[in-house]
């Protein structure tokens, strides 16, 4: 099994629908991140969490919310999806006291029609 | 806001050729990482460079960090189809609690 698992891998939805992307990890890392990837723009940080009780906005948090249900689980929600939220979403983890390296999931491709 | 620029944006070469891709910033990097992302997968770390002038080798890949720590390059010798992917540079920053800022990437295609 992958260290960082994202579900669903692909999702097509309609404008206005609520969508949740889930991330779970088996690495025991305390820090978890949600990134969005668009062609030519690289990875942009949406939200990050340093532990279960710590949630922080990234550079593009508008239109998104997150929940850290447990140390191993970090979900991203789009309350009312819009077409410009069509993108590839990545969850990543790292340990605060370990190597300064991000471990990524395989990504969730979201299409909003 | 410090931006990371990468060039070229796209590169298509034949197997066996050499290539170099670049990562530049308007400000000094604290440390720089290179990741490779293959289709359908998340990015995977290749290397971290910290010291100005540093050179690291990973098989056919050579990474250089500029003396002023404002630029970095990745050179691939005798490229193979398995090198195909998106190459991302990233800086670890302290303004978001040691979070990472990524460049837009160079998409490399190595044709057999």
């Amino acid at each position: 099994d992958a260290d960082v698992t994202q579900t669903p891998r692909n999702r097509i939805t309609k404008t206005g629908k609520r969508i949740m992307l889930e991330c779970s990890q088996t690495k025991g890392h305390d820090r978890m991140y949600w990134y969005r990837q668009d062609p030519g723009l690289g990875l942009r940080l949406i939200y990050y969490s340093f532990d279960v009780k710590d949630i922080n906005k990234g550079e593009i948090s508008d239109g998104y919310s997150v929940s850290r249900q447990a140390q191993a689980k970090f979900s991203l929600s789009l309350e009312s999806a819009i077409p410009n939220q069509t993108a590839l979403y990545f969850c990543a983890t790292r340990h605060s006291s370990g190597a300064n390296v991000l471990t990524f999931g395989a990504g969730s491709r979201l299409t909003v029609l | 806001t410090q931006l990371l620029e990468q060039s070229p944006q796209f590169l298509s070469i034949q197997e066996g050729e050499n290539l170099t891709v670049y990562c530049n910033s308007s400000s000094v990097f604290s440390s720089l990482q290179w990741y490779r992302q293959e289709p359908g997968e998340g990015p995977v770390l290749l290397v971290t460079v910290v010291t100005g002038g540093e050179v690291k080798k990973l098989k056919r890949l050579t990474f250089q960090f500029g003396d002023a720590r404002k630029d970095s390059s990745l050179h691939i010798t005798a490229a193979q189809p398995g090198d195909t992917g998106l190459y991302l540079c990233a800086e670890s920053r302290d303004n978001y609690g040691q979070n990472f800022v990524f460049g837009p990437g160079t998409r490399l295609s190595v044709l057999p």
Side-chain angles (χ1 to χ4, degrees), chain A residues 13-37:
Chain A
T13 191
K14 295 182 178 180
T15 297
K17 295 292 187 180
R18 184 178 186 274
I19 294 298
M20 179 179 285
L21 305 179
E22 298 188 1
C23 176
S24 63
Q25 52 118 343
T26 58
K27 294 189 73 66
H29 288 173
D30 51 345
R31 297 186 176 186
M32 298 188 73
Y33 305 77
W34 275 105
Y35 286 90
R36 167 179 172 159
Q37 186 175 43

Side-chain angles (χ1 to χ4, degrees), chain A residues 29-54:
Chain A
H29 288 173
D30 51 345
R31 297 186 176 186
M32 298 188 73
Y33 305 77
W34 275 105
Y35 286 90
R36 167 179 172 159
Q37 186 175 43
D38 298 276
L41 294 179
L43 291 156
R44 293 181 292 167
L45 183 63
I46 307 172
Y47 269 96
Y48 62 103
S49 170
F50 284 174
D51 64 40
V52 175
K53 298 180 180 180
D54 181 82

Side-chain angles (χ1 to χ4, degrees), chain B residues 75-92:
Chain B
H75 181 79
I76 302 179
T77 302
Q80 299 177 0
D83 296 324
T84 293
L86 180 68
Y87 288 81
L88 297 160
C89 64
E91 182 194 19
S92 174

Side-chain angles (χ1 to χ4, degrees), chain A residues 9 31 33 35 37 40 42-43 45 48 50 59 90 94 100-102 104-106, chain B residues 9 33 35 37 40-43 45 86 88 92 96-100 102-104:
Chain A
R9 292 294 313 277
R31 297 186 176 186
Y33 305 77
Y35 286 90
Q37 186 175 43
L43 291 156
L45 183 63
Y48 62 103
F50 284 174
E59 61 178 303
F90 285 100
R94 70 170 286 250
N100 196 27
V101 177
L102 289 173
F104 284 87
Chain B
Q9 186 177 0
Q33 298 182 328
Y35 288 78
Q37 182 181 359
E41 300 294 332
L45 180 73
L86 180 68
L88 297 160
S92 174
Y96 284 127
Q98 294 187 338
N99 286 322
F100 298 78
F102 287 81

Side-chain angles (χ1 to χ4, degrees), chain B residues 6-109:
Chain B
Q6 291 190 246
S7 61
Q9 186 177 0
F10 300 98
L11 186 58
S12 181
I13 62 171
Q14 294 293 134
E15 182 176 3
E17 294 183 359
N18 301 331
L19 67 112
T20 303
V21 298
Y22 302 91
C23 176
N24 299 282
S25 172
S26 57
S27 303
V28 174
F29 292 117
S30 52
S31 66
L32 187 83
Q33 298 182 328
W34 285 93
Y35 288 78
R36 179 169 64 207
Q37 182 181 359
E38 298 183 14
E41 300 294 332
V44 175
L45 180 73
L46 295 173
V47 76
T48 300
V49 287
V50 178
T51 305
E54 184 174 6
V55 176
K56 285 191 174 180
K57 293 191 174 183
L58 183 65
K59 297 183 180 178
R60 293 175 294 101
L61 279 59
T62 302
F63 303 86
Q64 285 193 295
F65 201 16
D67 291 340
R69 291 164 51 217
K70 296 176 68 173
D71 59 273
S72 180
S73 64
L74 160 57
H75 181 79
I76 302 179
T77 302
Q80 299 177 0
D83 296 324
T84 293
L86 180 68
Y87 288 81
L88 297 160
C89 64
E91 182 194 19
S92 174
R93 292 192 172 177
D94 290 335
N95 58 337
Y96 284 127
Q98 294 187 338
N99 286 322
F100 298 78
V101 174
F102 287 81
T106 292
R107 188 165 297 282
L108 172 65
S109 177

